[in-house]
Amino acid sequence: LHEARTTRKNEATPVDYPFVPLPPPMGPGLGYYRMSEQFPGPPIESVNTIRNQVITLGADHRFDDGWRLTAELARNQQFRTRIGSNTLGGYVALSKDIGDFTPYISFGQLTTSSIQMDGYRRLTGNLLPPVVPGAAQINAAQRIGAESIYVADQSTWALGSAWRTPLGGTLKLEHGSVRIGEVSRLIDAPPGQPTPQHRRFGTWTLSYSVAY
Protein backbone atom coordinates (compact mmCIF):
# COMPACT_ATOMS: atom_id res chain seq x y z
CA LEU A 1 0.00 0.00 0.00
CA HIS A 2 1.45 3.35 -1.07
CA GLU A 3 -0.11 6.74 -0.37
CA ALA A 4 1.12 10.17 -1.39
CA ARG A 5 -0.11 13.75 -1.23
CA THR A 6 0.92 16.27 -3.86
CA THR A 7 0.62 20.03 -3.41
CA ARG A 8 1.07 22.51 -6.27
CA LYS A 9 2.07 25.90 -4.85
CA ASN A 10 1.61 28.07 -7.92
CA GLU A 11 -1.09 26.17 -9.81
CA ALA A 12 -4.20 24.28 -8.75
CA THR A 13 -5.48 20.97 -10.14
CA PRO A 14 -8.98 21.07 -11.73
CA VAL A 15 -11.62 18.87 -10.17
CA ASP A 16 -13.60 18.82 -13.42
CA TYR A 17 -14.35 21.06 -16.39
CA PRO A 18 -17.76 22.83 -16.33
CA PHE A 19 -20.01 22.73 -19.38
CA VAL A 20 -20.88 26.12 -20.90
CA PRO A 21 -24.04 26.10 -23.08
CA LEU A 22 -24.02 28.48 -26.03
CA PRO A 23 -26.86 31.00 -26.28
CA PRO A 24 -29.35 30.98 -29.19
CA PRO A 25 -29.32 30.94 -32.14
CA MET A 26 -26.38 28.50 -31.95
CA GLY A 27 -28.80 25.66 -31.25
CA PRO A 28 -30.09 23.75 -28.21
CA GLY A 29 -27.57 21.54 -26.41
CA LEU A 30 -24.59 23.13 -28.14
CA GLY A 31 -21.76 24.22 -25.88
CA TYR A 32 -18.22 23.54 -24.74
CA TYR A 33 -16.25 22.48 -21.69
CA ARG A 34 -14.33 25.34 -20.13
CA MET A 35 -10.72 24.16 -20.10
CA SER A 36 -9.03 27.40 -19.01
CA GLU A 37 -9.72 30.89 -17.75
CA GLN A 38 -9.28 32.20 -21.30
CA PHE A 39 -12.79 31.03 -22.19
CA PRO A 40 -15.92 32.59 -20.65
CA GLY A 41 -18.01 30.55 -18.29
CA PRO A 42 -18.46 29.53 -14.65
CA PRO A 43 -15.43 29.13 -12.35
CA ILE A 44 -13.35 25.97 -12.74
CA GLU A 45 -13.44 24.08 -9.46
CA SER A 46 -9.89 23.20 -8.42
CA VAL A 47 -7.83 21.99 -5.46
CA ASN A 48 -4.23 22.64 -4.41
CA THR A 49 -3.63 19.18 -2.92
CA ILE A 50 -4.49 15.76 -4.31
CA ARG A 51 -4.05 12.29 -2.82
CA ASN A 52 -2.86 9.17 -4.61
CA GLN A 53 -3.29 5.61 -3.41
CA VAL A 54 -1.64 2.59 -5.06
CA ILE A 55 -2.43 -0.94 -3.88
CA THR A 56 -0.54 -3.90 -5.29
CA LEU A 57 -1.02 -7.59 -4.66
CA GLY A 58 1.36 -10.19 -6.07
CA ALA A 59 2.23 -13.86 -5.86
CA ASP A 60 5.23 -15.88 -7.04
CA HIS A 61 5.28 -19.68 -6.90
CA ARG A 62 7.92 -22.15 -8.08
CA PHE A 63 6.82 -25.61 -9.17
CA ASP A 64 8.88 -28.71 -9.83
CA ASP A 65 11.05 -29.09 -12.94
CA GLY A 66 11.84 -25.36 -13.09
CA TRP A 67 8.31 -24.06 -13.71
CA ARG A 68 7.42 -20.69 -12.17
CA LEU A 69 4.12 -18.76 -12.05
CA THR A 70 4.05 -15.04 -11.26
CA ALA A 71 1.05 -12.73 -11.02
CA GLU A 72 0.46 -9.17 -9.86
CA LEU A 73 -2.54 -6.84 -9.60
CA ALA A 74 -2.28 -3.06 -9.12
CA ARG A 75 -4.94 -0.47 -8.29
CA ASN A 76 -4.02 3.17 -8.81
CA GLN A 77 -6.48 5.84 -7.71
CA GLN A 78 -6.26 9.64 -7.45
CA PHE A 79 -8.70 11.39 -5.12
CA ARG A 80 -10.20 14.92 -5.07
CA THR A 81 -10.27 15.14 -8.88
CA ARG A 82 -12.29 13.36 -11.54
CA ILE A 83 -9.69 13.80 -14.28
CA GLY A 84 -6.78 12.05 -12.57
CA SER A 85 -5.55 8.46 -12.47
CA ASN A 86 -7.98 5.66 -11.72
CA THR A 87 -6.68 2.43 -13.21
CA LEU A 88 -6.68 -1.31 -12.62
CA GLY A 89 -3.94 -3.40 -14.17
CA GLY A 90 -2.24 -6.72 -13.78
CA TYR A 91 -0.29 -9.49 -15.43
CA VAL A 92 0.34 -13.21 -15.17
CA ALA A 93 3.54 -14.89 -16.41
CA LEU A 94 4.58 -18.52 -16.78
CA SER A 95 8.26 -19.43 -17.18
CA LYS A 96 10.52 -22.46 -17.08
CA ASP A 97 14.24 -22.76 -16.34
CA ILE A 98 16.10 -24.80 -18.97
CA GLY A 99 19.79 -24.65 -18.14
CA ASP A 100 20.91 -21.04 -18.57
CA PHE A 101 17.73 -20.13 -20.46
CA THR A 102 14.33 -19.13 -19.07
CA PRO A 103 11.63 -18.92 -21.75
CA TYR A 104 8.37 -17.33 -20.64
CA ILE A 105 4.93 -16.20 -21.76
CA SER A 106 2.89 -13.45 -20.14
CA PHE A 107 -0.39 -11.59 -20.44
CA GLY A 108 -1.04 -8.10 -19.06
CA GLN A 109 -3.99 -5.73 -19.12
CA LEU A 110 -4.61 -2.12 -18.05
CA THR A 111 -8.06 -0.50 -17.83
CA THR A 112 -9.49 2.80 -16.60
CA SER A 113 -12.54 3.39 -14.42
CA SER A 114 -15.81 4.52 -16.00
CA ILE A 115 -15.56 8.01 -14.42
CA GLN A 116 -12.30 8.89 -16.19
CA MET A 117 -13.32 7.15 -19.40
CA ASP A 118 -16.64 9.02 -19.52
CA GLY A 119 -14.77 12.29 -19.01
CA TYR A 120 -12.47 11.47 -21.92
CA ARG A 121 -15.44 10.64 -24.15
CA ARG A 122 -17.25 13.87 -23.26
CA LEU A 123 -14.26 16.03 -24.15
CA THR A 124 -13.34 14.26 -27.39
CA GLY A 125 -16.94 13.84 -28.56
CA ASN A 126 -18.02 17.43 -28.02
CA LEU A 127 -16.82 19.20 -31.18
CA LEU A 128 -18.14 22.64 -32.05
CA PRO A 129 -19.00 23.32 -35.72
CA PRO A 130 -16.76 25.77 -37.63
CA VAL A 131 -19.53 28.39 -37.70
CA VAL A 132 -19.05 28.99 -33.98
CA PRO A 133 -16.46 31.74 -33.34
CA GLY A 134 -13.29 30.27 -31.86
CA ALA A 135 -14.45 26.69 -32.49
CA ALA A 136 -11.01 25.45 -33.61
CA GLN A 137 -9.32 26.81 -30.48
CA ILE A 138 -11.97 25.39 -28.16
CA ASN A 139 -11.93 21.97 -29.84
CA ALA A 140 -8.14 21.86 -29.60
CA ALA A 141 -8.27 22.78 -25.90
CA GLN A 142 -10.85 20.07 -25.23
CA ARG A 143 -8.65 17.46 -26.90
CA ILE A 144 -5.61 18.54 -24.88
CA GLY A 145 -7.71 18.30 -21.73
CA ALA A 146 -8.95 14.84 -22.70
CA GLU A 147 -5.43 13.60 -23.37
CA SER A 148 -4.33 14.86 -19.96
CA ILE A 149 -6.69 12.35 -18.32
CA TYR A 150 -4.87 9.08 -17.60
CA VAL A 151 -7.09 6.69 -19.56
CA ALA A 152 -6.03 3.28 -20.83
CA ASP A 153 -7.68 0.30 -22.50
CA GLN A 154 -5.01 -2.10 -23.63
CA SER A 155 -3.65 -5.62 -23.24
CA THR A 156 -0.40 -7.32 -24.20
CA TRP A 157 0.69 -10.89 -24.91
CA ALA A 158 4.46 -11.34 -24.61
CA LEU A 159 6.74 -14.25 -25.49
CA GLY A 160 10.42 -14.14 -24.69
CA SER A 161 13.44 -15.75 -23.12
CA ALA A 162 16.17 -14.73 -20.70
CA TRP A 163 19.74 -16.04 -20.99
CA ARG A 164 22.14 -15.98 -18.07
CA THR A 165 25.38 -15.22 -19.92
CA PRO A 166 28.88 -16.40 -18.88
CA LEU A 167 29.72 -12.74 -18.14
CA GLY A 168 27.31 -12.78 -15.21
CA GLY A 169 24.53 -10.64 -16.72
CA THR A 170 21.19 -11.55 -18.24
CA LEU A 171 20.27 -11.01 -21.87
CA LYS A 172 16.55 -10.94 -22.63
CA LEU A 173 14.74 -10.95 -25.95
CA GLU A 174 10.97 -10.42 -26.03
CA HIS A 175 8.23 -10.02 -28.61
CA GLY A 176 4.97 -8.41 -27.52
CA SER A 177 1.60 -8.17 -29.22
CA VAL A 178 -0.24 -5.08 -27.99
CA ARG A 179 -3.97 -4.47 -28.50
CA ILE A 180 -5.37 -0.97 -28.02
CA GLY A 181 -9.08 -0.70 -27.40
CA GLU A 182 -10.75 2.70 -27.23
CA VAL A 183 -7.68 4.65 -26.14
CA SER A 184 -4.34 4.37 -24.37
CA ARG A 185 -2.48 7.19 -22.62
CA LEU A 186 0.70 5.14 -23.11
CA ILE A 187 0.57 5.75 -26.88
CA ASP A 188 1.44 9.21 -28.21
CA ALA A 189 -0.06 10.32 -31.52
CA PRO A 190 1.73 12.92 -33.69
CA PRO A 191 0.33 16.47 -33.41
CA GLY A 192 -2.84 16.83 -35.44
CA GLN A 193 -3.26 13.08 -35.87
CA PRO A 194 -6.13 11.07 -34.35
CA THR A 195 -5.49 8.91 -31.31
CA PRO A 196 -4.93 5.23 -32.31
CA GLN A 197 -8.02 3.13 -31.58
CA HIS A 198 -8.85 -0.56 -31.95
CA ARG A 199 -5.43 -1.44 -33.31
CA ARG A 200 -2.88 -4.14 -32.72
CA PHE A 201 0.87 -3.86 -33.19
CA GLY A 202 4.00 -5.77 -32.26
CA THR A 203 7.09 -4.74 -30.30
CA TRP A 204 10.57 -6.24 -30.00
CA THR A 205 12.64 -5.67 -26.86
CA LEU A 206 16.30 -6.56 -26.35
CA SER A 207 17.84 -5.83 -22.95
CA TYR A 208 20.94 -6.72 -20.94
CA SER A 209 21.02 -6.36 -17.19
CA VAL A 210 23.61 -6.92 -14.48
CA ALA A 211 23.41 -7.04 -10.70
CA TYR A 212 26.29 -6.12 -8.41
Side-chain angles (χ1 to χ4, degrees):
L1 171 64
H2 176 78
E3 290 214 23
R5 293 181 183 270
T6 305
T7 300
R8 308 176 70 178
K9 295 183 179 180
N10 300 323
E11 185 178 357
T13 299
V15 174
D16 205 347
Y17 301 113
F19 184 76
V20 182
L22 294 179
M26 294 298 178
L30 195 62
Y32 63 90
Y33 290 93
R34 192 184 188 210
M35 312 302 302
S36 70
E37 302 294 340
Q38 297 178 354
F39 305 125
I44 301 176
E45 183 183 0
S46 60
V47 292
N48 292 324
T49 302
I50 56 176
R51 181 169 67 93
N52 283 78
Q53 183 183 80
V54 180
I55 301 175
T56 60
L57 178 66
D60 185 1
H61 183 73
R62 293 181 180 272
F63 299 91
D64 296 334
D65 299 328
W67 288 98
R68 182 179 183 181
L69 183 65
T70 307
E72 187 174 7
L73 187 67
R75 178 78 166 87
N76 178 22
Q77 190 171 7
Q78 193 172 78
F79 298 92
R80 305 192 69 191
T81 175
R82 289 187 287 274
I83 60 175
S85 303
N86 197 338
T87 60
L88 178 65
Y91 74 90
V92 57
L94 179 65
S95 63
K96 178 176 174 58
D97 291 331
I98 305 175
D100 292 332
F101 291 87
T102 304
Y104 63 89
I105 185 173
S106 67
F107 175 76
Q109 188 169 17
L110 181 65
T111 59
T112 300
S113 73
S114 59
I115 295 177
Q116 275 68 22
M117 189 63 75
D118 288 343
Y120 174 85
R121 292 167 181 159
R122 284 189 285 110
L123 294 177
T124 56
N126 186 71
L127 298 178
L128 294 178
V131 294
V132 177
Q137 184 181 6
I138 294 176
N139 292 339
Q142 290 184 147
R143 175 172 176 174
I144 293 175
E147 292 178 347
S148 68
I149 303 176
Y150 198 102
V151 289
D153 176 19
Q154 72 178 67
S155 60
T156 302
W157 282 98
L159 180 65
S161 180
W163 173 42
R164 290 172 292 279
T165 68
L167 300 177
T170 301
L171 182 67
K172 185 173 73 172
L173 177 64
E174 177 184 290
H175 174 66
S177 178
V178 182
R179 182 200 64 83
I180 300 176
E182 184 173 348
V183 65
S184 176
R185 175 75 184 275
L186 301 178
I187 305 297
D188 291 328
Q193 298 296 320
T195 302
Q197 291 182 319
H198 306 291
R199 294 181 56 185
R200 183 179 293 275
F201 60 90
T203 62
W204 285 95
T205 305
L206 180 65
S207 63
Y208 181 77
S209 61
V210 294
Y212 57 92

